[in-house]
Amino acid sequence: MASPTSTNPAHAHFESFLQAQLCQDVLSSFQELCGALGLEPGGGLPQYHKIKDQLNYWSAKSLWTKLDKRASQPVYQQGRACTNTKCLVVGAGPCGLRAAVELALLGARVVLVEKRTKFSRHNVLHLWPFTIHDLRALGAKKFYGRFCTGTLDHISIRQLQLLLLKVALLLGVEIHWGVTFTGLQPPPRKGSGWRAQLQPNPPAQLANYEFDVLISAAGGKFVPEGFKVREMRGKLAIGITANFVNGRTVEETQVPEISGVARIYNQSFFQSLLKATGIDLENIVYYKDDTHYFVMTAKKQCLLRLGVLRQDWPDTDRLLGNANIVPEALQRFARAAADFATHGKLGKLEFAQDAHGQPDVSAFDFTSMMRAESSARVQEKHGARLLLGLPFWPLGTGVARGFLAAFDAAWMVKRWAEGAECLEVLAERESLYQLLSQTSPENMHRNVAQYGLDPATRYPNLNLRAVTPNQVRDLYDVLAKEPVQRNGDKTDAGMPTTGSAGTQEELLRWCQEQTAGYPGVHVTDLSSSWADGLALCALVHRLQPGLLEPSELQGLEALEATAWAIKMAEHELGITPVVSAQAVVAGSDPLGLIAYLSHFHSAFKSTPHRPSPVSQASPGTSSAILFLGKLQRTLQRSRAKENAEDVGGKKLRLEMEAETPSTEAPPDSEPGVPLTPPSQHHEGSMQAGAEDLCALCGEHLYVLERVYVDGHFFHRSCFRCHTCEATLWPGGYGQHPGDGHFFYCLQHLPQPDHEEEGSDGGPESPELPTPSENSMPPGLSTPTASQEGASPVPGLSQPSRRRIRLSSLERQRLSSLNIAPDSEMEPPPKPPRSCSALARQALESSFVGWGVPVQSPQVLVAMEKEEEECPSSSEEEVEEEDVSLDSDVEALLTLAKTSGNMNNYPTWRRTLLRRVKEEQMKRFRKAQAIQRRLHEIEAALRELEAEGVKLELALRRQSSSPEEQKVLWVGQLLQLVEKKNSLVAEEAELMITVQDLNLEEKQWQLDQELRSYMNREETLKTAADRQAEDQVLRKLVDVINQRDALIRLQEDRRLSELALGTGAQG
């Protein structure tokens, strides 16, 4: 076949257009193409059809097939859905270009303006599965042959913009470069339309362009007038991005990418990084695209210590301003972190150049995220209506949501063009906007091939009437009239006093109901009625019967009874103290007592009033807080025991220890044996007035500021790691016996001098308590963990122990976690065409000595040949089957790197490694979301504390204020306390997830390490190898037991929720 250029000169221009890698080259080659075809660029869909008719050779036809398939979807109505609609799109970023493509497919006339003249952003974006499918359907492989060919699915922003720019030009979008949109020009008279104010000197045709839809996709820094943008700011997070030159050498291609490593579940990596380089990071990611792209979150103190930042300024803009950053130090910082993360395999790292010709490395404020309160508005003047939309990335959480927002904006334009009522269109758009921020790959439709412009094809839980037209009236502006006031613009000061007063009255009424019927208990108020301790003991007994019989309270003094109740509420109900027992008895802190009782109310107000005990995992009992409290106490006990033991007497913990009654369970409640006042114990000691002063800084503590830790109260801002000054979270801190006044995060927790041999030097995760421990009433003996037949490993309580010698097969079966199939199961006569089944067969055939029947490799050879013969390397790629991995295949994936026989089947090995990377990416993304939410919670708690301090000062100082005003203030304070309790409970839930991620990562690492030992020949193993293998095996068993504790906690909670729901229905 003759070359295309020999038959038609336009073919050469088209090929140049496809291969162009610079923005100016794309524009110039397309201009030459249109000139050769006798067309004018920007002619809409008719232009596309003319180009397609004249370029009908084989290379172009493959692209037309894809674009025609997209355009033939019914929603576009053959390009006639919006033929009378004129749109202006501001911004040629990925979202703006994607929105322009959709509008062009709908048949609208689309004009796009962009202030820049080139694409220079090397930063790399992670892609969701639907985004990959969407871009492939637009011909991504035709424009960019290396699209999603690595082990991770990503693309640089520059390449993504080039790809979408080419599609937009082919579909007839009119694009103007170097033009800045500065605002709207309303119609001057009836019969005219809306125009744009543009700079510097737009062409007359563009200056006079009248449009009825404006899509502002210029990002959060530019928002059209009328839109309100909310800044979501958490704890300071400093992001650093670096792009290094990718020489595409053989050595560089062999360096594996890093899908993401987060401190909250892989502390050993960051400990090693800190020890080797002095760099302290929260997370790091490495992608390989046009450049070697690294993004990391660094700690401020580390940047100051290493000279990257000159001074520590409280203002973030000043802290990260150019004047306060030392460029050379920042480059050394980024290069050292990248070199460590890749083990130095990238060689000499040379920075790529940014748009200004400078090294492409920058530090930015990752704390602030912008989000518009609404996504659309309508403005009207002189009868001309203008629809405005904002499809920029909400919360800065990835381009996938940006694409979804672009689809939603285009759907809004289609509904607008169909003649739907303005308020209906706005209400539907806001309903989708509310749904967007909660969207993830897991809660969208699984079949990405069905995704289209219609939201119903993408969102399974779609409710287009979640927002009603009446709620969006303020989004319709008629410029000749006064703007409509929002219903929510009223301040809290205008709230009636009855609503707030009802909160305090409700609390008192609930306390009276819970303590009714107990002898000697008469609750008439929220102060003096609690001084004798009986009411508080009655409340705890009502919620957790069996801890102490009411008759046994008669011999206790008020201080003893109150201290016991506070301790039991913390240990058994998850209610953290905010007031000391002395203050309750003396009545010296009435606001603290009210706040403390409100903890009970908010946790148990939805629990049915019945004499039976409240389940530990009930949704209202702060089970996560309770679990983390026990976890922290277990950590302290284990470290104390570890410090007390000699090196030779170190015990290997293969099972979790049950908390013994001598240290954790309440004292025996047999009659005649008085309770020891908790105030005499270190753990429960709270001195009189201790809640008024911070144990670290000595400054005054207000009610909402109090954080209770190990018998002391702190400011939340004071409760930080002594080394890195990071805020400490539940279950994520510890103390060193040598300096008991200081707290440390687990990464910087000083290790004892007598480290166990074979330890990696990182802090071991504390043994997790089981959800049911300590739940038994006092006086009942706790069964030992080594009951006969309960476990093959002796419990720690046994005085004599026997070393268990496992055979190689037993070790392998334990590590494989039941991946071996049933021996009676017959293999299928023909392997099914699914990735999971083929991967299973491929890996099973490579197992030797695992009790798995060895399969003939002929099937895999045939499949490998079939894969090689498929046209994946040509213009048409075979789209990967989107199959969710079975649990057994997920276990097999970890063998892909260590199974030698898999080298004979490189295609399936590559597929399995890609799936492993995807699983790691999911874990990292989850950790990132948790980390960001924890920072947001911390910022929200600071705001609540500031409001609470103002209210408490008003209550304490304004003694002459009217009683109604005091009641109002107390009600508002209780509302703040309830908000704080909710945030603290959410924080604890997130930390439970962090523990699970941490254990999951440890199990994966230990599993890999164990397999490396098992793959060696038994005869070649030394005594040291066998000892190390035994240690790894024990650690793996320990981690599995700890994960089992978390699973049981979640299962108990689920069963409690089901029981609670069944009871409510009954």
Side-chain angles (χ1 to χ4, degrees), residues 37 213 224 314 611 695 963:
L37 298 178
V213 174
E963 191 63 28

Side-chain angles (χ1 to χ4, degrees), residues 1 15 56 175 228 270 274 281 322 456 505 599 683 716 738 785 808 838 981 1038:
M1 179 177 179
E15 292 299 323
N56 55 5
I175 300 178
K228 294 183 179 180
F270 294 97
L274 179 62
L281 299 179
N322 293 332
E505 294 174 358
H599 281 236
E683 183 180 349
R716 191 177 183 88
S808 177
L838 290 170
N981 294 341
D1038 185 45

Side-chain angles (χ1 to χ4, degrees), residues 71-344:
S72 64
Q73 294 182 7
V75 69
Y76 300 114
Q77 299 177 18
Q78 299 297 322
R80 294 189 294 271
C82 300
T83 51
N84 297 322
T85 304
K86 297 180 179 180
C87 305
L88 176 67
V89 179
V90 180
C95 297
L97 287 168
R98 191 63 189 87
V101 167
E102 287 302 307
L103 293 173
L105 289 171
L106 287 168
R109 183 188 175 187
V110 186
V111 175
L112 185 146
V113 294
E114 169 59 47
K115 65 179 181 180
R116 296 184 178 87
T117 57
K118 60 181 179 180
F119 297 148
S120 58
R121 299 169 65 188
H122 294 112
N123 293 358
V124 180
L125 302 171
H126 175 253
L127 301 178
W128 288 5
F130 99 85
T131 318
I132 299 171
H133 186 276
D134 177 67
L135 292 173
R136 280 176 172 165
L138 294 177
K141 293 286 285 186
K142 192 71 177 177
F143 301 116
Y144 184 49
R146 288 192 294 269
F147 178 72
C148 288
T149 55
T151 56
L152 292 173
D153 296 324
H154 52 66
I155 189 172
S156 69
I157 297 178
R158 190 182 74 86
Q159 285 292 348
L160 180 58
Q161 288 177 286
L162 287 172
L163 188 159
L164 293 173
L165 172 63
K166 295 174 184 179
V167 177
L169 288 171
L170 288 174
L171 294 178
V173 177
E174 181 181 336
I175 300 178
H176 296 270
W177 298 94
V179 177
T180 302
F181 177 85
T182 59
L184 287 169
Q185 183 178 337
R189 59 188 176 278
K190 194 174 184 63
S192 58
W194 291 80
R195 299 180 182 179
Q197 297 177 359
L198 305 170
Q199 291 182 354
N201 296 311
Q205 180 183 3
L206 179 61
N208 296 326
Y209 176 61
E210 295 183 350
F211 49 89
D212 46 17
V213 174
L214 171 68
I215 302 296
S216 178
K221 294 183 178 179
F222 176 81
V223 179
E225 185 179 356
F227 286 90
K228 294 183 179 180
V229 176
R230 177 163 52 96
E231 181 183 26
M232 302 187 67
R233 180 175 290 274
K235 190 186 74 171
L236 176 64
I238 301 176
I240 295 177
T241 59
N243 285 278
F244 299 98
V245 174
N246 187 354
R248 304 191 185 280
T249 63
V250 176
E251 292 77 11
E252 287 175 292
T253 58
Q254 293 176 349
V255 178
E257 296 176 295
I258 302 175
S259 57
V261 184
R263 174 198 296 272
I264 62 177
Y265 66 80
N266 191 347
Q267 297 180 2
S268 59
F269 172 85
F270 294 97
Q271 274 190 321
S272 302
L273 173 65
L274 179 62
K275 184 177 180 180
T277 64
I279 293 176
D280 203 359
L281 299 179
E282 292 283 353
N283 51 57
I284 187 170
V285 175
Y286 162 51
Y287 291 154
K288 193 186 311 178
D289 207 88
D290 286 346
T291 62
H292 296 292
Y293 170 68
F294 291 84
V295 58
M296 61 201 81
T297 305
K299 291 195 172 184
K300 181 180 69 173
Q301 295 301 325
C302 171
L303 296 177
L304 289 167
R305 174 168 43 83
L306 296 179
V308 178
L309 300 178
R310 302 180 193 274
Q311 296 184 41
D312 186 4
W313 299 104
D315 180 64
T316 305
D317 293 336
R318 192 172 183 182
L319 177 70
L320 299 178
N322 293 332
N324 199 43
I325 294 179
V326 181
E328 296 79 10
L330 179 60
Q331 294 171 27
R332 288 195 300 270
F333 184 98
R335 186 181 284 112
D339 191 65
F340 180 88
T342 56
H343 305 287

Side-chain angles (χ1 to χ4, degrees), residues 40 214 322 417 467 554 561-562 642 745 750 753 781 803 830 990:
E40 191 68 26
L214 171 68
N322 293 332
V467 178
Q554 301 301 323
T562 304
E642 182 179 312
C745 65
D753 296 334
S781 59
R803 181 182 294 273
K830 184 177 180 180
L990 292 175

Side-chain angles (χ1 to χ4, degrees), residues 294-545:
F294 291 84
V295 58
M296 61 201 81
T297 305
K299 291 195 172 184
K300 181 180 69 173
Q301 295 301 325
C302 171
L303 296 177
L304 289 167
R305 174 168 43 83
L306 296 179
V308 178
L309 300 178
R310 302 180 193 274
Q311 296 184 41
D312 186 4
W313 299 104
D315 180 64
T316 305
D317 293 336
R318 192 172 183 182
L319 177 70
L320 299 178
N322 293 332
N324 199 43
I325 294 179
V326 181
E328 296 79 10
L330 179 60
Q331 294 171 27
R332 288 195 300 270
F333 184 98
R335 186 181 284 112
D339 191 65
F340 180 88
T342 56
H343 305 287
K345 295 181 180 180
L346 289 178
K348 184 179 180 181
L349 293 171
E350 179 183 351
F351 284 99
Q353 302 296 308
D354 62 12
H356 306 288
Q358 299 298 319
D360 195 353
V361 56
S362 61
F364 60 96
D365 178 16
F366 194 56
T367 308
S368 176
M369 292 294 172
M370 310 299 293
R371 175 181 171 87
E373 293 187 359
S374 60
S375 60
R377 299 185 69 87
V378 172
Q379 294 186 5
E380 180 180 348
K381 187 172 184 180
H382 296 307
R385 293 177 178 174
L386 176 67
L387 176 64
L388 298 94
L390 292 178
F392 64 84
W393 308 356
L395 304 177
T397 49
V399 73
R401 291 190 181 90
F403 272 31
L404 292 174
F407 294 158
D408 295 339
W411 175 260
M412 173 185 67
V413 175
K414 179 180 182 294
R415 296 277 291 131
W416 172 270
E418 291 172 347
E421 290 290 335
C422 294
L423 294 181
E424 281 280 346
V425 173
L426 292 174
E428 285 188 8
R429 182 67 186 94
E430 293 308 307
S431 299
L432 291 172
Y433 190 57
Q434 289 184 356
L435 185 65
L436 183 60
S437 62
Q438 307 166 12
T439 302
S440 66
E442 289 73 28
N443 59 22
M444 296 183 67
H445 281 306
R446 296 295 181 186
N447 185 9
V448 296
Q450 74 175 12
Y451 285 17
L453 195 62
D454 190 342
T457 63
R458 293 176 272 124
Y459 306 114
N461 301 318
L462 180 63
N463 180 14
L464 292 177
R465 298 187 179 275
V467 178
T468 64
N470 190 49
Q471 293 175 291
V472 295
R473 289 186 178 276
D474 56 338
L475 301 181
Y476 192 155
D477 297 332
V478 180
L479 300 187
K481 299 180 181 180
E482 292 294 329
V484 180
Q485 183 184 12
R486 290 189 178 209
N487 295 331
D489 287 345
K490 297 181 180 180
T491 62
D492 292 339
M495 294 174 60
T497 58
T498 55
S500 297
T503 303
Q504 189 174 356
E505 294 174 358
E506 181 184 356
L507 175 61
L508 176 59
R509 185 166 54 251
W510 181 81
C511 290
Q512 290 172 338
E513 292 174 355
Q514 297 296 323
T515 58
Y518 285 88
V521 177
H522 303 285
V523 176
T524 59
D525 53 31
L526 298 175
S527 56
S528 59
S529 298
W530 305 84
D532 57 3
L534 297 180
L536 196 57
C537 289
L539 181 60
V540 173
H541 182 268
R542 174 75 72 184
L543 301 174
Q544 189 65 285

Side-chain angles (χ1 to χ4, degrees), residues 693-746:
L693 298 177
C694 176
L696 286 176
C697 69
E699 297 295 330
H700 186 79
L701 272 173
Y702 294 92
V703 173
L704 261 75
E705 292 181 318
R706 297 172 188 172
V707 175
Y708 179 80
V709 180
D710 297 339
H712 300 283
F713 290 98
F714 304 93
H715 289 105
R716 191 177 183 88
S717 57
C718 294
F719 188 53
R720 295 177 177 273
C721 175
H722 182 62
T723 301
C724 65
E725 298 187 1
T727 301
L728 300 177
W729 288 315
Y733 65 89
Q735 282 182 287
H736 190 264
D739 51 1
H741 295 290
F742 300 116
F743 294 89
Y744 300 88
C745 65
L746 294 183

